[in-house]
Amino acid sequence: MPYKVKDMELAPQGIKKIEWVQRHMPVLETIKKRFEKEKPFEGITIGSCLHLEPKTINLGLTLQAGGAEVAMTGCNPLSTQDDATAAGASLGLNMYGWREQTNEEYYQTINMVLDHKPDIIIDDGADMIFMIHRQRRDVLDKIKGACEETTTGIHRLKSMHADGALEFPVIAVNDAYTKYLFDNRYGTGQSTFDSIMGSTNVLIAGKNVVVCGYGWCGRGIAMRADGLGANVIVTEVDPIRALEARMDGYRVMTVREAVKHADILVTATGNLDVVSGDDFKVMKDGCIMANSGHFNVEINREDLDQMAVKQGKMKADIDEFVMEDGRRIYLLAEGRLVNLAGERGQGHPAEIMDLSFAMQALSAEQLVNTSMEVGVHKTPDEADMRVARLKLEAMGIEIDDLTEEQVEYLDGWEQGT
């Protein structure tokens, strides 16, 4: 199989990591066994642009078990784990990517995947889908559709569709209940602080932690910061989310005010310039900044570069910026997705990605089996329920079923007080 990875000698180490996560991804393993029997992807090529780490390779192996030829590259230049890509290549996946790619190399490897002429795309952030529409229109006719993993990508794709630019159907896997209620909240919350604490070794308890954005990712980050003993401050532009954050027990204020108090600041909005310009002038000495949004645009690095009188690296993934008045500000993982791009970032726990990648696998199967109109489509509720039930079974949890009488009551309107 074609591949371009950093070092194939890392494959045995990567295989052990894959075997470890497989033991903690029972739903995906159940789907893999069915795929092995039914071969729903026979004759199908699937191209993916996802964070290349052991859990993602396990998704690739699941699709491969279903008969697909699988070509994979990364969706972030700093999130690839080189032992995982080597392992994937050794197990027959077409792997393209390595940690610390340049931007040019990043797009080169996306092109390498597209050279396989995929029928289905699995994307995270929509970079591959965007490239197909702008630069690789030669592959458009063959594509049945795509699945998109993250909130940022869904926003881009809905905008494309509104402008009439989207030319094939996309399933919004991010909008599945078993994705965003768990991956975005519990996964982002835990993995963000895993990475921050692993990189900095600072105590969270007693510190002021500012969370910019109170969507499902922001909720999870705030919840974990609170659980670690932090004083949590939330910033928002949506009045309903801001009110919810306040009633969840957090202080709510503007970014400009919040940065004055922040010991640690985490962005999770999916938007650009959340922290920029004059915000850095009033930021506390020693403030640690991290981004948990998909792209590295939320914390304005150019403004930091211009305002700092001195820069240096404290560690591989901690950049120090010395301001004119002597204050020191720290940025983790170059402002990229900290839970994966950070030196100690491993991404979401396997138990969480079990749900998300199960939905990816089932969504890819849906694209093969059904003809869908151009647009952004929500995953079927039945698929969500199937994944949730499989997860509960794997956890040894039983739940009640409605009786016929209860179903009739819920469906009716005649019975009242």
Side-chain angles (χ1 to χ4, degrees), residues 55-271:
K55 300 176 286 289
T56 312
I57 305 304
N58 193 31
L59 170 62
L61 295 173
T62 300
L63 301 171
Q64 182 189 63
E69 178 185 351
V70 181
M72 310 185 80
T73 190
C75 63
N76 187 303
L78 290 180
S79 65
T80 296
Q81 295 184 25
D82 290 317
D83 52 2
T85 56
S90 74
L91 294 170
L93 303 176
N94 302 291
M95 300 298 309
Y96 305 100
W98 53 93
R99 187 174 174 84
E100 297 184 340
Q101 289 178 292
T102 64
N103 279 350
E104 182 181 3
E105 290 169 338
Y106 171 73
Y107 287 105
Q108 282 176 352
T109 52
I110 290 178
N111 270 311
M112 290 175 183
V113 169
L114 295 178
D115 287 342
H116 287 265
K117 308 291 184 182
D119 301 278
I120 293 170
I121 301 296
I122 298 180
D123 213 344
D124 189 326
D127 276 349
M128 183 173 282
I129 296 172
F130 188 70
M131 177 176 277
I132 290 168
H133 284 78
R134 293 294 297 272
Q135 299 173 23
R136 290 300 306 269
R137 297 186 63 84
D138 58 296
V139 304
L140 257 175
D141 289 345
K142 193 167 183 281
I143 292 175
K144 298 177 181 293
C147 309
E148 171 55 45
E149 173 78 7
T150 195
T151 308
T152 299
I154 297 301
H155 287 165
R156 296 179 80 188
L157 293 167
K158 286 182 176 178
S159 295
M160 284 180 70
H161 185 50
D163 289 343
L166 187 64
E167 297 189 41
F168 50 71
V170 178
I171 296 179
V173 173
N174 178 76
D175 294 349
Y177 297 115
T178 46
K179 199 281 183 183
Y180 74 82
L181 291 176
F182 301 94
D183 181 310
N184 295 20
R185 179 168 41 169
Y186 300 107
T188 303
Q190 178 169 318
S191 62
T192 293
F193 281 99
D194 279 348
S195 186
I196 291 173
M197 292 188 294
S199 293
T200 65
N201 195 32
V202 299
L203 181 69
I204 306 299
K207 287 191 170 60
N208 293 326
V209 173
V210 172
V211 181
C212 299
Y214 204 64
W216 288 105
C217 292
R219 287 178 177 93
I221 295 165
M223 179 170 58
R224 288 293 167 255
D226 185 37
L228 288 164
N231 303 303
V232 179
I233 300 168
V234 171
T235 76
E236 249 300 342
V237 296
D238 185 310
I240 294 176
R241 288 180 176 177
L243 186 60
E244 183 182 9
R246 186 67 190 96
M247 292 193 178
D248 282 343
Y250 309 130
R251 287 186 287 170
V252 178
M253 57 187 74
T254 64
V255 171
R256 183 60 50 81
E257 184 62 27
V259 295
K260 298 176 184 176
H261 306 279
D263 298 303
I264 298 171
L265 180 144
V266 185
T267 55
T269 71
N271 210 337

Side-chain angles (χ1 to χ4, degrees), residues 31 34-35 58 79 87 119-120 140 164 179 193 257 267 308-309 312 321 333 338 348 377-379 391:
I31 292 170
R34 176 172 69 81
F35 281 0
N58 193 31
S79 65
D119 301 278
I120 293 170
L140 257 175
K179 199 281 183 183
F193 281 99
E257 184 62 27
T267 55
V309 296
F321 299 84
V338 71
H348 296 349
H377 303 266
K378 187 182 182 300
T379 54
K391 191 67 169 181

Side-chain angles (χ1 to χ4, degrees), residues 137 165 285 302 304:
R137 297 186 63 84
D285 181 31
E302 290 183 7
L304 265 179

